[in-house]
Amino acid sequence: MNIKLLQSLIIFILFSATGNAQSFISLSTGISANINKPNQSFYHIPLSLQWKPSPKENNPFFVEFDYGIPFIAKSSGNAYTLNPSLPAAVNLEETICPNIFTVSIGFRIFLYTNKKNNSFYLNLLPFGISNQNFKVTYKNYDKENYEVLNPDVNKDLTGFVASVAAVYNFHKGKQDMMIMLHLQSPTTRRKGDYPLSYKSVAPLQLTFGYNFYYNKGKIK
Amino acid sequence: MKRIIHACILCLLIFCLAGCAKRNFFPDEDDPGLSRFTFHGYNIATAYINEVAYINPFYGVALFSAGPPQGNAIPKLSKVATNSAFDTLSLSWPIGINKNGTTSRYSDQTISLLMPVPKSFSLNNFLAWSGQRFSSNTNSITLQGFGDQSLYGSSNIYLVEISVDTTDSHKHIVFSGLFNGNIGDSILITKGRFDFAIDASQINF
């Protein structure tokens, strides 16, 4: 039963590739928001590069590279001291800088095209590796005299991710353009037992960019 | 043969259950050898004594003897009656030199923080101390196991957070704080921090 289902899926994927019979590179950027947020909201400017190396009709596989330029997230932490000549407690501004880089492989499922040859695709990227690096700093933190209670700490997470995207390709003049709504899962890697105010990022990104076609084949 | 298999399964089960206790030592990157300053009831306490990092021990499973509860050594919080106008609130726990987050469970060294309290001092009074900083004018610190005799000095204590945790069937008093002190000019205790959770039924006031 499962083998039949898998066969059907493969046939569907290969059949659905008929609208994409050419190699291309896509470059896009936009805005990204984290949807896996316990306390912290992380926003990024995503830079997305997709590369479909094969011009063959029956090869819909492509590689995607995503880098998120982070907006620094601000929070606060409380610090305490025993030094009687200093205030017993102070509130510190905390900043978290989350850098994200992801490499994924996946395939495109052709969904729709209109008379102007604008097309709509569903990208499925079931296998990706994401590195998420969180750098935490406390502004004006006097480490000699104060101790931050339940401090956040730096974390470097590398783990597997999966993602899905809806892509609309359209033409403006001679330019091939695209809009993409892309959702990535959090990493499979746990952040450890120590409780932090942030979690692995699951970016929902809306990007706009250009497609550069080469090795053009015949589009059915 | 079946009995042997059952005994083996039982032993495995005991060892699996024994593995549940966690050390919960999260090193402070700014102060090597010390734990982060937390308020999670981890029962972890660290301090520098003459610039050497000390920590409370971790007790593993004790199958063949009645040992202390498995996990990080739990402190003893008690009110000690005295003949003077005030009683003494004593918070003490075993310590040893921190070697990569661990220390000998057989360490006979202890540290005690001593604070004068009214004879009528109750648990509610203790809970009301949350956020209070106490100066060295009134508080004492004691080290035992660092020589033939107990060593007495003065200490600063800051009970940063105290709360009651009733998430499981037992009522726990969770409290975190900072401490430092000195015993004469020879022993300096610095950067002390603790994060304790004590079963309320074990407190004698």
Side-chain angles (χ1 to χ4, degrees):
Chain A
M1 180 65 184
N2 285 338
I3 292 171
K4 279 188 177 178
L5 190 70
L6 190 65
Q7 283 173 341
S8 305
L9 187 66
I10 290 169
I11 289 166
F12 172 69
I13 291 164
L14 297 180
F15 177 74
S16 67
T18 53
N20 190 35
Q22 48 204 318
S23 303
F24 70 86
I25 289 175
S26 290
L27 283 170
S28 62
T29 186
I31 187 72
S32 163
N34 174 31
I35 60 167
N36 186 31
K37 48 185 174 185
N39 301 316
Q40 294 288 353
S41 294
F42 294 128
Y43 295 93
H44 293 79
I45 295 174
L47 300 176
S48 183
L49 186 150
Q50 292 175 18
W51 178 41
K52 181 178 175 296
S54 173
K56 292 178 183 173
E57 293 177 10
N58 59 355
N59 190 346
F61 293 96
F62 69 100
V63 186
E64 182 170 320
F65 302 88
D66 290 289
Y67 175 67
I69 300 170
F71 287 99
I72 290 173
K74 289 187 178 178
S75 181
S76 65
N78 293 320
Y80 302 88
T81 184
L82 285 161
N83 190 333
S85 63
L86 294 170
V90 292
N91 190 263
L92 298 174
E93 183 181 291
E94 177 186 355
T95 59
I96 306 174
C97 184
N99 283 288
I100 306 174
F101 179 69
T102 306
V103 181
S104 307
I105 56 171
F107 51 86
R108 316 182 78 182
I109 297 175
F110 170 71
L111 296 178
Y112 167 80
T113 188
N114 65 11
K115 291 176 184 175
K116 293 180 179 177
N117 211 21
N118 297 337
S119 55
F120 197 66
Y121 283 88
L122 182 68
N123 289 358
L124 295 177
L125 300 116
F127 182 78
I129 295 175
S130 181
N131 174 256
Q132 303 191 353
N133 183 281
F134 300 84
K135 186 167 174 53
V136 178
T137 51
Y138 289 96
K139 197 175 176 184
N140 300 325
Y141 177 25
D142 176 1
K143 294 178 182 177
E144 277 303 306
N145 287 299
Y146 283 89
E147 301 299 334
V148 176
L149 186 64
N150 297 332
D152 275 330
V153 293
N154 299 341
K155 203 78 190 173
D156 192 68
L157 297 172
T158 300
F160 296 114
V161 293
S163 53
V164 62
V167 184
Y168 182 65
N169 297 314
F170 61 100
H171 311 280
K172 197 165 178 75
K174 288 185 177 179
Q175 292 178 326
D176 298 311
M177 305 170 92
M178 53 91 83
I179 292 175
M180 177 168 65
L181 185 66
H182 179 277
L183 175 63
Q184 181 183 303
S185 72
T187 66
T188 52
R189 172 91 181 272
R190 290 183 68 234
K191 62 183 175 59
D193 291 333
Y194 182 72
L196 298 165
S197 71
Y198 59 83
K199 281 184 179 177
S200 169
V201 175
L204 174 66
Q205 58 192 46
L206 180 66
T207 60
F208 169 84
Y210 294 89
N211 294 324
F212 303 97
Y213 293 102
Y214 63 100
N215 286 343
K216 285 192 178 181
K218 185 180 178 183
I219 301 175
K220 287 182 181 175
Chain B
M1 186 63 185
K2 270 188 176 178
R3 282 186 178 179
I4 294 170
I5 292 169
H6 287 163
C8 289
I9 291 169
L10 186 65
C11 285
L12 278 171
L13 195 64
I14 289 168
F15 277 111
C16 287
L17 290 172
C20 292
K22 289 179 180 174
R23 180 53 160 150
N24 281 329
F25 172 72
F26 300 102
D28 185 339
E29 286 80 1
D30 298 322
D31 298 312
L34 302 190
S35 61
R36 292 171 200 157
F37 180 37
T38 57
F39 179 55
H40 295 302
Y42 285 157
N43 280 324
I44 197 88
T46 51
Y48 291 127
I49 300 179
N50 284 347
E51 299 184 351
V52 176
Y54 280 73
I55 191 170
N56 56 333
F58 177 84
Y59 299 125
V61 64
L63 286 176
F64 305 108
S65 63
Q70 194 195 352
N72 291 340
I74 298 171
K76 188 176 179 188
L77 179 65
S78 59
K79 189 169 74 169
V80 181
T82 69
N83 293 326
S84 68
F86 290 92
D87 284 345
T88 299
L89 185 71
S90 168
L91 176 65
S92 63
W93 63 92
I95 54 169
I97 292 174
N98 186 0
K99 295 170 183 168
N100 299 319
T102 186
T103 190
S104 169
R105 60 177 288 164
Y106 302 107
S107 171
D108 61 351
Q109 296 173 317
T110 58
I111 190 167
S112 302
L113 304 176
L114 308 169
M115 290 174 273
V117 291
K119 298 269 183 199
S120 59
F121 189 79
S122 67
L123 187 55
N124 284 335
N125 296 130
F126 180 72
L127 294 174
W129 274 3
S130 181
Q132 298 280 319
R133 188 167 65 171
F134 302 93
S135 73
S136 58
N137 298 336
T138 52
N139 305 308
S140 306
I141 194 164
T142 308
L143 293 178
Q144 290 173 313
F146 285 78
D148 295 337
Q149 294 181 325
S150 295
L151 306 170
Y152 291 90
S154 60
S155 72
N156 293 295
I157 302 167
Y158 191 170
L159 292 166
V160 172
E161 293 272 2
I162 307 175
S163 72
V164 179
D165 178 14
T166 53
T167 48
D168 61 9
S169 56
H170 292 281
K171 180 181 173 185
H172 283 87
I173 309 301
V174 183
F175 56 104
S176 291
L178 303 170
F179 65 97
N180 63 18
N182 63 289
I183 296 165
D185 294 330
S186 59
I187 297 178
L188 208 59
I189 299 146
T190 54
K191 293 266 184 183
R193 71 281 308 264
F194 53 79
D195 177 10
F196 291 135
I198 301 179
D199 191 329
S201 65
Q202 303 296 312
I203 297 172
N204 71 344
F205 58 90

